[in-house]
Amino acid sequence: MTTRAADRPDSAERLAGRPAPPAAAQLKSRHLLGIAGLDADEITLILDTAEAMKEIGGRAIKKVPTLRGRTVVNLFFEPSTRTRTSFEIAEKRLSADTLSIATATSSVTKGETLVDTVRNLEAMSPDMIVMRHASSGAPDLLARICRSTIINAGDGMHEHPTQALLDAFTIRSHKGRLAGLKVAIVGDLLHSRVLRSNVLLLKTMGAEVWACGPSTLIPPGLERLGARPTTSVDDAVRDADVVMLLRIQHERMQGHFIPSVREYFALFGMTPERVRRAREDVIVMHPGPMNRGVEIDSEVADGPYSVILEQVSNGVAVRMAVLYLLSGREGRDDESPGEGR
Amino acid sequence: MPQVMDADRMSRALTRIAHEILERNRGLDELALVGIRTRGVPLARRLARALKEINGDDVPTGALDITLYRDDLMRHPVGPQPLVRRTEIPFSIDDRKIMLVDDVLYTGRTIRAALDALIDFGRPRVIQLIALVDRGHRELPIKADYVGKNLPTSLKQSVQVRLQEIDGTDEIVIEGEP
Amino acid sequence: MNLLLKNGRVVDPGNGRDGEFDVLIQDGVIRRVGRDLPAEGADVFEVARGWVVTPGLIDIHVHLREPGQEHKETVATGAASAVAGGFTAVACMPNTDPVNDHAGITQFILKKAAEAKLARVYPIGAVSLGSKGEQLAELGEQKAAGCVAFTDDGRPVATALLMRRALEYAGMLGVPIVNHCEDPSLKGDGVAHEGYHASALGLRGIPGVAESLMVERDVSLAELTGGHVHIAHMSARQSLRAVRAGKERGVHVTCEVAPHHFTLTDEALEGPPKYDTNLKMNPPLREDADRDAMLEGIADGSVDVIATDHAPHHADEKMLEFDHAPFGIVGLETAVPIVCDRLLHAGKISWTRLVELLSVNPARVFHLPGGSLTEGAPADITVIAPDARVTVSAAALRSKSKNTPFDGWELRGGVAATIVGGRVVYRNASC
């Protein structure tokens, strides 16, 4: 004998008498390809769910049975310890079966195309695929072709949605809100997917973003994306509520973007003096891994304003929230195969 | 909508339960209340207050969100995932007598989920169940140790408990054809 | 082959004609153009009301992929695609495998074209051996074998010195150098037009100046040498400016624009679907101002030719990450519908201008026979149905490859028939 959904003790209908918040809510897309596809309500839903997930990490037994029997594959075409570990822990905390495939080679050199690699994987019926890839748009390609739910763990220079979400979670936990904050993002803006995702999210949530870097590393159209571009780190940081640093890769010296990391640090590095121009209760963030002495002074990285390690721990909770909210929707006939159809 | 209990009778039922707890337990040490979200939580707090009034001791009270332990989460063919809220149990449950508090006991599946959740938190010595309303139609071998009101219902009906803290008023109503 | 095209509107700017005329074809040659011509035993082709009869259209920029990449296209399938698109002749690029840098390959291509018996094929030879930019190829031999122009297309002619010498040498032979203008250092590993959309999508950008910088170089070199440079697949407004300035000074420079560059912009990459590799080509789809500049140049005469840069790629090759997919889209079978719909019916060009862009000027730029319906000339004729409703279907293309961004587009204007040497080599049954 089955009970009607409406009669279940915690059903949406039962709780419908309450004014707010909604007893149940949903992400519109069955994939997480980027922040670009999310509206403010969906972002808030993910952050609120992450709140609940965070508590689980504080227990003695850090596990709930929610994704028991589900298989999640972490397909990482770019090396990453931090993000991959974070996803693995999140998956295991939800009792999912997790499998990590770290392929150092791209599809082209290996000979097997990305589509073939994933199709072969799909033949073994994973429920969700978490993918990091060096090419922008790789997850979009898969979402068009695959049945599994695709979660983008970073694609080329395009987006890194879970990073932006955990950054927002961290900011919100310190400031209580996102709207109206001044957020300064400093670093290699041109090549950064963390920048793009953060700008989109913060703009959607009503924050004011200043994006700062050398003019050679400012992407065209940045203002249209939603950030105020500047080459003055002082202007960016002045009265900022949040200062976020991005990596400068040593490779940027080829391509003539910067003459040296030494000069970059002199002009743009976050030193204690520069941080002092921000608000007294500023928080300093970095997606990691850090280049100490390049984009950030060690004193700042380890100082009282730094919330860098919190970001890491929040990452697990946010990823648990994303996995939970997207689970159970893979390959449903009633839903179209993904964005863009 | 037919009201089966008004504020006054609800209050008396809770007071009666509090007295029963004290009677059957020879004191309150090792006892703790854990309300099941959402409406079990204010009920647990009210019980704690009642117990303190009668007996003078503070009873530790916690809130348990069982969403992630439900057995029907991934089985809905369509529809949103239920919203998950924080569990807050700020004390150790090891070796305690835990009183789970829920507003309506129905199929028993919520309680099963709550038991799974509690066991992940530690090892209580005893777990008992307090339900404000028992409407029958159990699907699992679960029983309440303390009941505010037994309410025979049909499967077509639904029972709604409204609480001041959440709904602005205290009452229990039944919807639907008998 | 004897054929009488009866009652069509004939647009033949080369002979100053635009009106209702009959065209009598005998033994593969245009015998007479006049009114109320007797059939004299020829088959009668009743040209339907509203259809237009033009000199055979000529596409001077196509990639036929043979030898070496026959999985994408062959001379035969490319020729079939051409006539289905209304083209009686095409000029094919040398970036085959091996590169067409010697007479043996030119002869091979011509043989394959003759076997196919569809569109005429005029090979374009490589400027340098292997198109490596190191050593001049034997342009004289190649011209004798049948090459009508030279290019290292796929790549720019590598150095200013090589371009200078090529212009001088080819000038001596009376043929143009066609250049794929692109500064390699500015292009880098870019895959899309440098601008807001590439930034938003995280794609490495190629600025318009990467193209125009080399256009400026080549205009100066053409001026210096007196040679003829033809700018292939022009896409950037800065390039058009440089071409206009060169023409004003009397430099022998001509240019072509492909249909996708006056129809689509980089906004299309945002989809849906995002990152469609059928929108990836080089030069890339640029921004509104560039597309508008191309339209302006087409309308005001600064642009000489419309050429498709037909670049077939196998579906497997395009089903890759955007970064890794090869550049290029097919275009032979969508050119006429797009030109009719987006230029003619949009009121931007007249019929005369259409025929100039697709027939008169291509013939003039490459010194090819054709471009007009002159009595005594081979009967290469295209019959266009300007009001035909065309729904582009990638699957139905006669090309071996289906990499088009126009799949599903509804356009007004199609090809009713294509006639080469007096033979109807293509007849559209639905017209």
Side-chain angles (χ1 to χ4, degrees), chain A residues 36 107-108 113-115 133-138 140-141 144-145 157-158 191 196 219-221 224-225 340, chain C residues 194-204 267 272-277 316 318-324:
Chain A
S107 64
V108 173
T113 65
L114 174 64
V115 171
H133 198 283
S135 287
S136 302
D140 294 77
L141 174 60
R144 263 182 271 150
I145 297 172
M157 309 190 312
H158 180 226
H191 299 97
R196 282 162 180 78
R224 189 169 156 188
L225 267 172
Chain C
E194 184 180 288
Y196 165 72
H197 294 288
S199 292
L201 293 169
L203 295 171
R204 290 178 208 274
E267 188 175 358
K274 277 188 187 176
Y275 302 98
D276 186 355
T277 54
D316 288 345
K318 282 291 202 175
M319 183 74 88
L320 292 179
E321 306 90 308
F322 198 90
D323 284 343
H324 297 310

Side-chain angles (χ1 to χ4, degrees), chain A residues 20 156-157 161 165 194 197 201 217 236 244 249 277 281 298 326:
Chain A
M157 309 190 312
L165 287 162
V194 173
S197 292
L201 188 152
L217 289 173
M244 190 183 299
Q249 294 177 290
R277 292 202 178 83
D281 56 354
S298 271
L326 289 178

Side-chain angles (χ1 to χ4, degrees), chain A:
Chain A
M1 174 179 74
T2 51
T3 321
R4 281 188 316 143
D7 292 329
R8 293 189 191 277
D10 277 295
S11 74
E13 288 84 344
R14 272 275 276 113
L15 296 169
R18 295 188 51 200
Q26 194 179 31
L27 297 179
K28 291 196 213 88
S29 168
R30 72 179 182 92
H31 304 286
L32 180 64
L33 300 177
I35 300 293
L38 299 173
D39 63 31
D41 285 338
E42 292 173 293
I43 292 170
T44 305
L45 173 63
I46 295 172
L47 298 182
D48 288 345
T49 307
E51 282 287 351
M53 296 299 183
K54 195 165 161 107
E55 176 267 318
I56 297 167
R59 303 182 188 176
I61 296 182
K62 300 177 184 30
K63 219 184 224 322
V64 290
T66 320
L67 292 188
R68 199 170 59 91
R70 303 306 230 207
T71 306
V72 182
V73 177
N74 300 316
L75 195 52
F76 276 61
F77 288 92
E78 263 185 342
S80 153
T81 312
R82 177 186 319 244
T83 305
R84 192 165 53 88
T85 312
S86 183
F87 267 106
E88 279 181 29
I89 291 180
E91 290 148 17
K92 288 187 201 295
R93 289 205 177 147
L94 291 169
S95 297
D97 290 329
T98 137
L99 174 68
S100 285
I101 303 178
T103 80
T105 55
S106 79
S107 64
V108 173
T109 51
K110 219 193 335 178
E112 189 182 46
T113 65
L114 174 64
V115 171
D116 276 339
T117 303
V118 179
R119 280 203 176 125
N120 275 299
L121 202 55
E122 281 221 307
M124 297 181 267
S125 304
D127 298 291
M128 302 170 95
I129 298 180
V130 173
M131 183 170 80
R132 165 171 288 194
H133 198 283
S135 287
S136 302
D140 294 77
L141 174 60
L142 290 191
R144 263 182 271 150
I145 297 172
C146 298
R147 283 181 358 261
S148 317
T149 293
I150 308 285
I151 295 179
N152 181 8
D155 65 324
M157 309 190 312
H158 180 226
E159 286 231 39
H160 192 352
T162 58
Q163 180 69 45
L165 287 162
L166 76 88
D167 288 339
F169 184 87
T170 307
I171 296 172
R172 199 175 82 156
S173 72
H174 281 270
K175 307 287 178 179
R177 70 189 203 284
L178 292 167
L181 296 178
K182 177 178 175 186
V183 179
I185 305 182
V186 186
D188 177 354
L189 308 173
L190 180 61
H191 299 97
S192 171
R193 53 190 172 219
V194 173
L195 171 85
R196 282 162 180 78
S197 292
N198 266 297
V199 167
L200 288 172
L201 188 152
L202 291 167
K203 178 172 86 154
T204 302
M205 302 306 280
E208 186 195 332
V209 182
W210 288 57
C212 172
S215 43
T216 46
L217 289 173
I218 295 184
L222 184 52
E223 236 167 321
R224 189 169 156 188
L225 267 172
R228 198 171 146 155
T230 176
T231 55
S232 160
V233 68
D234 290 337
D235 285 349
V237 171
R238 185 173 308 119
D239 297 327
D241 297 282
V242 179
V243 172
M244 190 183 299
L245 285 335
L246 300 175
R247 262 164 68 73
I248 289 284
Q249 294 177 290
H250 290 253
E251 299 89 87
R252 296 305 165 223
M253 292 186 278
Q254 291 126 353
H256 310 294
F257 290 105
I258 56 171
S260 64
V261 293
R262 200 176 78 114
E263 175 147 310
Y264 178 84
F265 182 73
L267 294 178
F268 295 96
M270 197 49 52
T271 59
E273 295 72 41
R274 288 191 170 128
V275 169
R276 247 175 257 131
R277 292 202 178 83
R279 288 175 52 105
E280 258 191 67
D281 56 354
V282 69
I283 54 174
V284 173
M285 306 174 66
H286 193 305
M290 287 188 282
N291 286 322
R292 289 166 181 269
V294 178
E295 64 263 10
I296 186 171
D297 189 296
S298 271
E299 219 182 294
V300 175
D302 303 325
Y305 308 110
S306 165
V307 299
I308 294 173
L309 291 176
E310 263 179 66
Q311 285 173 270
V312 177
S313 88
N314 289 337
V316 177
V318 165
R319 288 168 177 133
M320 285 174 73
V322 167
L323 287 160
Y324 169 69
L325 289 166
L326 289 178
S327 55
R329 298 171 63 176
E330 51 282 355
R332 282 204 189 130
D333 293 324
D334 60 294
E335 288 188 343
S336 55
E339 294 171 19
R341 288 275 119 211

Side-chain angles (χ1 to χ4, degrees), chain B residues 104-125:
Chain B
V104 178
L105 174 60
Y106 181 24
T107 61
R109 291 184 189 273
T110 301
I111 306 304
R112 183 217 58 84
L115 291 173
D116 271 357
L118 271 186
I119 282 163
D120 275 352
F121 274 89
R123 196 181 183 285
R125 192 172 61 76

